[in-house]
Amino acid sequence: MKSLQGIRVLDLSRVLAGPYCTQMLGDLGAEIIKVERPGAGDDTRFWGPPYLQDDEGNDTSESAYYLSANRNKKSLALDISTEEGQDIIRKLLPSCDILVHNFKVGSLEKYGLEYNQLNEAFPHLIYCAISGFGQTGEMAKEPGYDFLAQAMSGLMACTGEAGGEPMKVGVALSDVITGLNSAVGILAALNARHQTGQGQMIDVSLLDCSIASLTNIAQYYLTSGKPAPRQGNAHSTIVPYQTMATADGHFILAVGNDAQFARFCRVIEREDIVADVRYATNAQRVLNREALLAEISPILAARTTAHWLEALRAANVPCAPVNTMDQVFAMKQVQQRDMAITLPHSLTSQPQQLVGSPLKLSETPVSYDLPPPTCGQHTQEVLETLLDMSAEDIAQLKEKGVV
């Protein structure tokens, strides 16, 4: 039994936010039909290097970027700009529960595939539209990209070194967060449909999701009327909670309360600091951040990272190494949580490693049934199985470039 067994998703999305969402649904057991442009496919197939390599060591058309968000899907190569392609979409919809797309607002109207053009004929359909700025508002029809969302939401303004330039997060985090919110909205709509029988429209935007993800940083402004200062690897309202330099590198110190701070001071053999009224509470430490750092930084810089990690962990003071990706996947904890998985791939005889799902369900665990597909790999299967098309009909569509 799978959590979303029996649910079918028609996935018209590409790049990251939509594919990340539908990959999650696929991991949970939904059948995902990924619609791609014939001969081209998802844009990210060519966002490399690195690429998946074949048995001769040659690059294929499958980039690492594409592989990261497209397992557990079937690829249907279909030109939806043609009348025949649009007709196939409409013929598929009665057997689909969910449609996901991230086209610009209004751009599917000319194909007859906007929500208001489909709702009457397919009232059961859950229609998730992902966009840069949402379906309403003065910017609705503008194209949206992760980088823009990070900049416009305030995420970049609070990221980076104090006094330095604003900095984007190292991964396309606005896309990922939007994919997560889209999946939550879809699951909520599925539950509502279970009770009412009615589908609905889910309007999710990169800008909205990015702003919502700022949580305490956004609330800092709404409460105080002032933007939170950019603190680099430090925390705006907790001290000491930042990267600390050591004799041979850096580590993360994350003192979250006064009891932890007292234990930290014992570890560095400076219990006198706890008695100082300037540092006795977190509120005072935030106000006297620079003075406290001047006290503790030279002490931490005198010993190695390994020394401090061992000593602080023994005293139950939160701390961590700053891992590179090779160190991440070498961690026993990561391996024991199955955060790296292997799947076969049709372009190579070697099993391919992919990032595992973070969802651990006790009764209906995620499953990894299909590797990321090649473009159009399942076109014939989908058309024959779901639409009862003959081989001759499919061949004619291929001749026209529809599939």
Side-chain angles (χ1 to χ4, degrees), residues 230-371:
R230 187 160 59 248
Q231 297 286 2
N233 286 322
H235 198 288
S236 59
T237 54
I238 309 174
V239 176
Y241 198 101
Q242 64 184 79
T243 306
M244 303 300 303
T246 66
D248 61 351
H250 296 81
F251 76 99
I252 297 299
L253 177 64
V255 173
N257 57 51
D258 296 339
Q260 290 175 356
F261 183 67
R263 296 199 296 273
F264 166 73
C265 291
R266 285 196 292 273
V267 170
I268 66 171
E269 299 179 351
R270 286 295 306 274
E271 294 185 70
D272 59 296
I273 293 178
V274 181
D276 192 320
V277 293
R278 295 176 297 169
Y279 315 130
T281 66
N282 180 68
Q284 288 300 312
R285 293 194 294 275
V286 171
L287 295 175
N288 296 286
R289 180 192 301 267
E290 297 307 320
L292 175 59
L293 292 175
E295 294 268 15
I296 67 175
S297 294
I299 300 171
L300 296 174
R303 308 292 286 270
T304 66
T305 297
H307 168 83
W308 291 120
L309 290 176
E310 181 179 1
L312 291 168
R313 284 170 172 167
N316 199 24
V317 176
C319 60
V322 182
N323 285 335
T324 54
M325 290 311 305
D326 56 326
Q327 293 169 324
V328 170
F329 287 107
M331 289 176 62
K332 288 184 178 179
Q333 175 68 20
V334 173
Q335 295 169 0
Q336 291 164 353
R337 296 286 291 175
D338 298 322
M339 288 309 298
I341 64 167
T342 58
L343 282 175
H345 197 283
S346 62
L347 297 180
T348 175
S349 63
Q350 300 299 314
Q352 296 303 300
Q353 285 196 310
L354 300 171
V355 180
S357 170
L359 301 175
K360 318 295 183 185
L361 284 72
S362 65
E363 303 305 318
T364 55
V366 301
S367 60
Y368 308 111
D369 302 316
L370 296 172

Side-chain angles (χ1 to χ4, degrees), residues 52-206:
L52 172 69
Q53 293 191 326
D54 62 22
D55 289 342
E56 283 72 48
N58 301 311
D59 286 344
T60 69
S61 61
E62 311 290 280
S63 72
Y65 200 119
Y66 167 78
L67 294 173
S68 73
N70 286 288
R71 67 168 170 257
N72 281 332
K73 301 179 185 181
K74 297 176 181 178
S75 175
L76 166 63
L78 181 67
D79 186 352
I80 65 170
S81 70
T82 65
E83 289 186 9
E84 295 96 329
Q86 296 154 23
D87 184 54
I88 287 173
I89 292 292
R90 293 191 189 91
K91 287 178 178 177
L92 287 170
L93 287 178
S95 66
C96 293
D97 301 278
I98 300 156
L99 184 150
V100 178
H101 80 78
N102 58 353
F103 283 82
K104 285 174 57 179
V105 172
S107 62
L108 288 181
E109 184 175 3
K110 59 182 176 290
Y111 304 145
L113 299 177
E114 289 287 356
Y115 175 69
N116 57 8
Q117 296 171 313
L118 298 175
N119 182 44
E120 185 175 349
F122 310 104
H124 74 288
L125 186 66
I126 293 167
Y127 187 104
C128 180
I130 299 170
S131 62
F133 303 101
Q135 302 294 307
T136 59
E138 64 179 11
M139 297 183 67
K141 293 193 175 182
E142 293 193 19
Y145 301 93
D146 174 90
F147 202 3
L148 274 65
Q150 290 201 34
M152 298 176 73
S153 66
L155 179 57
M156 284 182 65
C158 69
T159 305
E161 292 297 330
E165 65 176 293
M167 190 69 62
K168 74 177 181 68
V169 181
V171 71
L173 191 61
S174 290
D175 273 340
V176 172
I177 291 167
T178 302
L180 289 168
N181 277 283
S182 298
V184 171
I186 287 169
L187 295 177
L190 277 172
N191 186 61
R193 194 185 70 177
H194 179 68
Q195 300 175 60
T196 67
Q198 296 294 311
Q200 60 183 294
M201 166 81 161
I202 303 169
D203 172 7
V204 189
S205 87
L206 271 66

Side-chain angles (χ1 to χ4, degrees), residues 380 383-384 389-399 403:
Q380 186 150 343
L383 296 180
E384 287 180 346
M389 279 194 182
S390 67
E392 182 180 351
D393 291 336
I394 296 171
Q396 291 176 354
L397 291 173
K398 287 181 179 179
E399 284 182 14
V403 299

